[in-house]
Amino acid sequence: MAAGLAAAMPVAPALAESLSGAYLASRQARYGSDFAAAAQYLSMALARDPSHPLLLDSAIQAFVSVGKIDLALPIARKAEADGVGSQAGRMILAANEAKTGQFEALIARAESEKGSGPLVDGLMIAWAQVGLGDMSAALKAFDAVGKERGLASFAQYHKALALASVGDFEAAEKIFVADGAGALQGTRRGMIARLQIMSQVEKTTEAVALMDQVFGSDLDPELREMRGDLEAGKPLPFSLARGAADGTAEVFYSIAGALSDEANPDYTLLYTRAALYLRPGHTDAALLAAGLLEDLEQHELAVEVYRSVPQDDPAFHAAELGRAAALRAAGKDEAAMEVLEQLARTSPDLPAVHVTIGDYLRAKDDFKGAVAAYDRALALYGDSQPSLWFLFYARGIAHEQMKDWQASEADFRKALELNPNQPQVLNYLGYSLVERGESLDEALDMIERAVASRPDSGYIVDSLGWVLFRLGRYDEAVGHMERAAELVAVDPIINDHLGDVYWSVGRKLEAEFQWQRALSFEPEEKDAARIRRKLEVGLDAVLAEEGAAPLKVANDDN
């Protein structure tokens, strides 16, 4: 069995010649979340010791993590036969039983000590009863789960899905109306389930109103299509759980969603992979799995998952945006841009695509192209919604880099109109005004407000110290600049600023130390040249060479 697995996997970059070597190589790969390499080395180790409990469990996890469930299953069966307690193995065996319609076996597993925990097992028993056609037993099983502490909302949500899966939409809607589904009802997927159910019980007007209340006017293609069908009086088919296998997939996905902000991503990934095994078209599970892989810096695997979403899927654009981001993270900038350009051609009316292109071009210093992309996005959005502050802020940065200060300031002030206390905008605009020597009192007020909102942001605290320096309030600037250098110790500009502040209060040896320290962090050459010149002749002489005003304490006319 294990020898066959090893043959099925690609050849490892550097083959380990011994059992211990293969195991150590696999452990190193797992520490780095390199699941593909871990699976390769574990296959080799199992070929030498096919009954080692740790190797069996680790191999199951590795194969599930890369989405090779067909290779994980025989190892899981071997582990179970050997009495190895592998949670990942039990999870995949249960998923396989649901997928192949072995519902009695699934119930027996969940009721024995071979299950995955009270929530998973209880919900699986209930869905298995649905698969067996015994809705009475299924509803009792859902209710039994709901009696467990903290599990009521999970149980009621899945009970509603099960009722809807057999066409009892009235009973399903009653659960949602009573808010029995709890937090799951408030998720995007839960809301889609609710809207589909409302459509089936002819609550079309109420469904449209609920949709507008929850999602607003900025709808993605799937939601836009749903809203159009509702307005046209076209019933929405119930698609979230079409049967017991789908319902079991939904169990895994629900738990993955609940774990995503709490558990380690590699653990949560197992649940998303199980959901995708049961229901390959589960787009939400695919997007979550890809996001988890990105968190784990497994960008190539993330690209593979994003690519699995078909072009006719309503969430295709989201998958393509994710794929572009993963390609960029993997250092494949040209491929990422190709994905975005193709998406702009096929989905030209999606503002998020143009925003992403703008962000990409801005990061590549193509500020003219970024502005054009942001312009297209803003034209598609139409009204200036509060959430668009970042788009105006980003375009303002691009304008500022193009030396178009009038357009830049207008964008920054529009961003503040939409979000008056946004610290990033307050800091950027305030700092820019300081650098231009304009409206220094207003700039100081902006930056003080930004610091009050983000007191632990070294860059914002640096701005406060710097505006005080530019105002000639040198003694006041010292503490803020020192704090900024503590918060962002290796930033060359912040250390350079601290050197200038020290010089201004007569602490010249400390100033020279900070300038030397700034140079050690490899600033841009133009900044480095100025720092080297300050080390040669001092700040006063550099200011004189530049034709700048000399250092002068505020309110000191001498």
Side-chain angles (χ1 to χ4, degrees):
M1 177 269 297
L5 292 177
M9 293 299 295
V11 177
L15 294 180
E17 295 297 334
S18 66
L19 172 60
S20 60
Y23 171 70
L24 289 172
S26 73
R27 189 171 68 172
Q28 185 64 32
R30 282 182 287 132
Y31 282 154
S33 298
D34 188 348
F35 306 117
Q40 293 172 2
Y41 288 121
L42 286 163
S43 294
M44 295 161 56
L46 280 173
R48 293 168 172 82
D49 187 353
S51 297
H52 194 293
L54 180 59
L55 294 179
L56 288 166
D57 183 45
S58 298
I60 295 166
Q61 293 183 48
F63 280 116
V64 172
S65 296
V66 295
K68 296 184 179 295
I69 310 300
D70 57 329
L71 296 180
L73 278 168
I75 309 175
R77 293 189 182 105
K78 167 66 173 172
E80 185 162 273
D82 289 356
V84 176
S86 170
Q87 184 180 11
R90 291 168 177 173
M91 182 189 304
I92 293 307
L93 290 173
N96 178 253
E97 287 161 354
K99 188 178 181 74
T100 56
Q102 300 177 62
F103 298 117
E104 291 180 350
L106 180 57
I107 291 171
R109 170 180 302 283
E111 290 178 341
S112 70
E113 295 182 356
K114 298 179 181 180
S116 304
L119 176 58
V120 178
D121 294 342
L123 293 177
M124 281 187 178
I125 289 171
W127 277 109
Q129 295 289 5
V130 174
L132 292 170
D134 191 343
M135 278 303 294
S136 177
L139 297 179
K140 289 179 181 178
F142 283 122
D143 290 340
V145 175
K147 293 176 182 177
E148 297 285 339
R149 183 177 178 182
L151 304 185
S153 62
F154 276 95
Q156 288 298 300
Y157 176 72
H158 279 272
K159 182 178 179 180
L161 298 187
L163 288 164
S165 75
V166 297
D168 193 349
F169 298 109
E170 289 80 4
E173 171 64 356
K174 286 180 181 178
I175 292 175
F176 280 112
V177 168
D179 199 26
L184 289 172
Q185 178 175 325
T187 64
R188 183 183 186 278
R189 193 166 181 84
M191 188 54 61
I192 288 175
R194 173 82 192 277
L195 293 169
Q196 290 178 347
I197 291 168
M198 292 177 76
S199 168
Q200 291 292 328
V201 296
E202 300 182 354
K203 288 187 174 181
T204 305
T205 303
E206 295 94 324
V208 171
L210 178 62
M211 197 171 194
D212 291 344
Q213 176 188 339
V214 173
F215 297 112
S217 59
D218 183 18
L219 303 179
D220 61 38
E222 180 178 16
L223 293 174
R224 191 160 59 238
E225 182 179 347
M226 286 180 63
R227 195 181 190 285
D229 288 345
L230 287 169
E231 287 185 322
K234 182 179 177 181
L236 303 178
F238 183 74
S239 61
L240 262 78
R242 301 160 300 184
D246 284 359
T248 308
E250 210 64 31
V251 171
F252 287 120
Y253 175 72
S254 297
I255 294 172
L259 291 173
S260 60
D261 292 329
E262 300 178 6
N264 291 331
D266 53 353
Y267 180 69
T268 307
L269 179 63
L270 300 175
Y271 286 91
T272 62
R273 289 296 199 181
L276 285 168
Y277 169 67
L278 274 162
R279 190 172 182 180
H282 198 310
T283 305
D284 288 336
L287 295 178
L288 179 54
L292 292 167
L293 288 164
E294 288 193 80
D295 291 342
L296 293 163
E297 299 185 359
Q298 295 302 301
H299 305 299
E300 296 290 350
L301 287 175
V303 168
E304 181 182 317
V305 176
Y306 283 127
R307 196 191 294 274
S308 71
V309 177
Q311 190 167 357
D312 60 355
D313 191 289
F316 176 72
H317 74 288
E320 287 294 270
L321 290 174
R323 184 159 73 97
L327 285 167
R328 282 186 64 189
K332 299 182 178 180
D333 289 352
E334 291 185 7
M337 195 60 191
E338 288 177 8
V339 171
L340 293 174
E341 289 174 344
Q342 176 63 25
L343 191 57
R345 288 191 289 271
T346 58
S347 304
D349 59 340
L350 290 178
V353 176
H354 302 291
V355 172
T356 304
I357 291 174
D359 291 343
Y360 178 88
L361 294 174
R362 181 163 57 89
K364 302 289 285 184
D365 294 338
D366 181 356
F367 301 112
K368 182 178 180 181
V371 167
Y374 292 140
D375 286 346
R376 288 191 291 272
L378 285 168
L380 289 167
Y381 277 121
D383 296 338
S384 296
Q385 310 159 31
S387 62
L388 295 182
W389 71 267
F390 187 84
L391 185 47
F392 284 101
Y393 170 61
R395 191 176 69 172
I397 293 174
H399 277 134
E400 189 261 345
Q401 292 293 318
M402 293 169 65
K403 311 301 181 185
D404 187 348
W405 174 245
Q406 184 176 359
S408 176
E409 183 178 11
D411 275 340
F412 290 144
R413 293 193 181 278
K414 180 63 176 180
L416 286 178
E417 178 185 321
L418 297 174
N419 193 343
N421 295 306
Q422 216 298 316
Q424 290 175 264
V425 184
L426 289 168
N427 179 60
Y428 203 110
L429 177 55
Y431 189 90
S432 299
L433 290 170
V434 171
E435 289 296 287
R436 294 178 61 83
E438 299 175 4
S439 307
L440 293 181
D441 289 336
E442 180 188 22
L444 176 60
D445 175 69
M446 288 181 177
I447 295 171
E448 286 177 335
R449 287 160 57 197
V451 170
S453 177
R454 299 278 178 82
D456 292 328
S457 169
Y459 296 104
I460 295 179
V461 176
D462 168 72
S463 296
L464 178 55
W466 194 239
V467 70
L468 291 168
F469 171 81
R470 294 296 294 269
L471 289 169
R473 293 160 61 174
Y474 305 129
D475 288 332
E476 293 178 64
V478 171
H480 296 296
M481 290 306 311
E482 289 176 335
R483 171 65 174 156
E486 290 176 3
L487 291 167
V488 193
V490 298
D491 185 273
I493 300 304
I494 290 177
N495 281 280
D496 180 32
H497 285 174
L498 179 55
D500 289 4
V501 171
Y502 278 154
W503 184 277
S504 71
V505 295
R507 295 164 62 175
K508 296 188 176 181
L509 286 177
E510 291 170 274
E512 291 173 357
F513 173 81
Q514 289 303 139
W515 291 332
Q516 290 282 8
R517 182 174 168 80
L519 283 175
S520 73
F521 299 131
E522 300 180 356
E524 294 184 9
E525 180 51 35
K526 65 182 180 65
D527 296 317
R530 188 173 188 271
I531 294 170
R532 286 192 291 267
R533 185 60 178 160
K534 285 189 287 187
L535 284 166
E536 292 172 0
V537 300
L539 178 58
D540 296 299
V542 168
L543 291 174
E545 290 172 355
E546 294 172 345
L551 295 175
K552 179 182 177 182
V553 177
N555 301 320
D556 183 0
D557 295 325
N558 296 322

